Amino acid sequence: MTQTSQKRPIVAIITMFFIFAMISFVTNMAAPFGNIWGFRYAWAGMAGNLMNFTAYLFMGIPAGNMLIRYGYKKTALIALAVGAIGLGIQLLSSVVGDNIIVIGGENPTTLNLFIYLLGALVCGVCVCMLNTVVNPMLNLLGGGGNKGNQLIQTGGALNSLSGTLTPMFVGVLVGTLTKETTMASVAPLVVTGIVIFVLAFIIISFVKIEEPQANLSNVKYEHSPLAFRHCLLGVIAIFFYVGVEIGIPGELNAWISREPFEGAAAVAGSLAALYWLLMLVGRFLSSIISGKVSTRLQLLVASSVAIIFILIAILLPESITFKSPEIKALNIYSGEVPMKTLFIFLCGICTSVMWGGIFNLATEGLGKYTAKASGLFMTMVVGGGIMPFIQDWIGRTVGYVSSYWLVFAMLVYIFYYALIGSKNVNKDIPVNIEEEMKEELV
């Protein structure tokens, strides 16, 4: 009996780690795919990313309710099926609707763009459900606290590895970005994603996962998770954090694609990939130290260092450059790159611990409210669509470097949350199911 109970959590943990990687694979397609559409329609550069994250706005709370009603495994399976459909719709945009004009004018908008955006929205529904499953489950399987954060950071390391490879693969497939570049160029990557989702669905169908919280459908919820101040402020912090995480490499990708290299998507993709690679390094290191170093301290250090990096990147003269390496096999060409970009992608090592840190701190002590809180968190992930969209607008109108002032402001709030807002001041609210049952008996 003991051996079986020891094996089940390991299987569940490994399954959640795999799902973590799938989330990043799908999410990180949006920015480089957006560059393809951005060359045809200036406003569409971050439109796919916006659609991807808009799904969180209306799917976050239903996804949390799905956890309560169907459990973690069934919710994950539904999400994987939706993801395969979403990628299939995006693939359809490479072969259908290029000659059908939906909006006329000097630069008519064709149907295939809207097919792609629909696919991005469906994929957003998928990753929202997957995120709702993986974060609370890893936190609960780790027993909360530093150990729960340790599991989230380990899963995040795999998430970052997937995020590192996705923009790099897109850059290699596209090469030099021009107005003639279409979604057909990245079709192999989309097909690969569909195959992975189908295989993941089959594998997880046969994996036995012990639910960390059972019988939640019969539990009474007298309060909202937002009744806890640290959860409410954490929900806001997540909104800003995802805007930071996506906006930093997304705007870097757009900047290098258009200005210094005049459409060298492979170079831009590689620079953005360095950001995700550093996130991988940061999460790997955090997974090692999280059992000993508090989540709050990690978040304080990470946010303060990121603030310094962004300030240097904004204020450093653009005339200071370094030469990028030339790797012809990957369609990466040598050229002078502003030194600012170095400090921008160095932020990856800082943002690496923020998601797990904020989620861990904001759900600490919530007990039976954890699943509902996870749904609220997923709703606020819409910040990853709204804030980068605003940042991209600032970049196109004022300047790409100036757009990072928005990132600076969001990082300041995250620092405040780590310092003050993360403290649980509502410990008087009952959160344990066992305590609730005892009170009813009395």
Side-chain angles (χ1 to χ4, degrees), residues 265-412:
V267 175
S270 298
L271 289 174
L274 285 173
Y275 169 86
W276 295 106
L277 179 61
L278 287 173
M279 285 193 71
L280 167 62
V281 173
R283 283 173 171 170
F284 176 75
L285 293 175
S286 179
S287 69
I288 296 174
I289 67 172
S290 287
K292 299 178 180 178
V293 180
S294 74
T295 304
R296 183 168 175 267
L297 179 59
Q298 289 185 55
L299 189 58
L300 277 170
V301 173
S303 56
S304 57
V305 173
I307 288 170
I308 294 171
F309 281 160
I310 290 296
L311 271 178
I312 294 174
I314 293 172
L315 301 176
L316 194 68
E318 200 164 322
S319 57
I320 302 176
T321 62
F322 69 95
K323 197 169 186 179
S324 66
E326 182 172 340
I327 309 174
K328 291 184 178 178
L330 298 179
N331 290 328
I332 298 178
Y333 303 100
S334 180
E336 293 297 321
V337 182
M339 187 65 73
K340 291 172 175 288
T341 60
L342 173 65
F343 293 95
I344 291 174
F345 63 69
L346 275 176
C347 285
I349 203 163
C350 301
T351 57
S352 62
V353 303
M354 290 182 182
W355 171 271
I358 294 170
F359 188 92
N360 181 260
L361 290 171
T363 57
E364 190 68 26
L366 293 188
K368 65 181 181 180
Y369 295 99
T370 300
K372 282 186 173 291
S374 182
L376 289 172
F377 270 91
M378 293 311 108
T379 300
M380 288 298 99
V381 172
V382 70
I386 294 174
M387 302 313 290
F389 192 81
I390 294 172
Q391 186 184 353
D392 187 58
W393 175 80
I394 295 172
R396 287 183 285 106
T397 55
V398 180
Y400 289 107
V401 176
S402 297
S403 73
Y404 281 92
W405 282 114
L406 180 62
V407 173
F408 172 82
M410 292 188 287
L411 287 170
V412 169

Side-chain angles (χ1 to χ4, degrees), residues 75-333:
T75 303
L77 288 173
I78 294 170
L80 291 170
V82 171
I85 294 170
L87 288 176
I89 295 173
Q90 290 190 53
L91 182 64
L92 190 65
S93 71
S94 66
V95 294
V96 174
D98 192 40
N99 297 319
I100 303 175
I101 297 174
V102 177
I103 302 175
E106 294 182 5
N107 187 23
T109 308
T110 52
L111 178 63
N112 58 339
L113 171 59
F114 294 97
I115 294 175
Y116 162 73
L117 292 177
L118 175 62
L121 180 66
V122 174
C123 281
V125 171
C126 159
V127 292
C128 175
M129 287 191 285
L130 291 179
N131 258 317
T132 308
V133 169
V134 72
N135 288 282
M137 189 163 189
L138 283 176
N139 197 40
L140 291 166
L141 289 172
N146 292 346
K147 292 293 183 180
N149 183 46
Q150 190 171 31
L151 283 185
I152 293 176
Q153 296 300 348
T154 304
L158 294 175
N159 180 276
S160 297
L161 175 61
S162 178
T164 301
L165 296 175
T166 302
M168 188 176 291
F169 285 155
V170 174
V172 170
L173 290 170
V174 172
T176 300
L177 193 63
T178 67
K179 289 185 177 181
E180 282 69 44
T181 305
T182 66
M183 285 292 291
S185 302
V186 294
L189 186 63
V190 180
V191 172
T192 301
I194 295 172
V195 172
I196 291 174
F197 268 120
V198 172
L199 290 176
F201 183 92
I202 295 171
I203 293 170
I204 293 176
S205 295
F206 291 98
V207 172
K208 290 185 178 180
I209 299 177
E210 184 177 346
E211 299 288 331
Q213 288 184 323
N215 301 321
L216 286 178
S217 58
N218 298 322
V219 173
K220 294 179 181 178
Y221 298 93
E222 299 84 1
H223 303 277
S224 163
L226 298 181
F228 298 82
R229 193 196 71 169
H230 71 293
C231 181
L232 172 62
L233 297 179
V235 165
I236 299 171
I238 282 290
F239 178 87
F240 286 142
Y241 162 69
V242 186
V244 168
E245 181 193 287
I246 302 299
I248 287 176
E251 201 64 12
L252 175 64
N253 202 326
W255 177 27
I256 302 300
S257 290
R258 286 165 174 76
E259 289 188 356
F261 289 94
E262 297 180 357
V267 175
S270 298
L271 289 174
L274 285 173
Y275 169 86
W276 295 106
L277 179 61
L278 287 173
M279 285 193 71
L280 167 62
V281 173
R283 283 173 171 170
F284 176 75
L285 293 175
S286 179
S287 69
I288 296 174
I289 67 172
S290 287
K292 299 178 180 178
V293 180
S294 74
T295 304
R296 183 168 175 267
L297 179 59
Q298 289 185 55
L299 189 58
L300 277 170
V301 173
S303 56
S304 57
V305 173
I307 288 170
I308 294 171
F309 281 160
I310 290 296
L311 271 178
I312 294 174
I314 293 172
L315 301 176
L316 194 68
E318 200 164 322
S319 57
I320 302 176
T321 62
F322 69 95
K323 197 169 186 179
S324 66
E326 182 172 340
I327 309 174
K328 291 184 178 178
L330 298 179
N331 290 328
I332 298 178
Y333 303 100

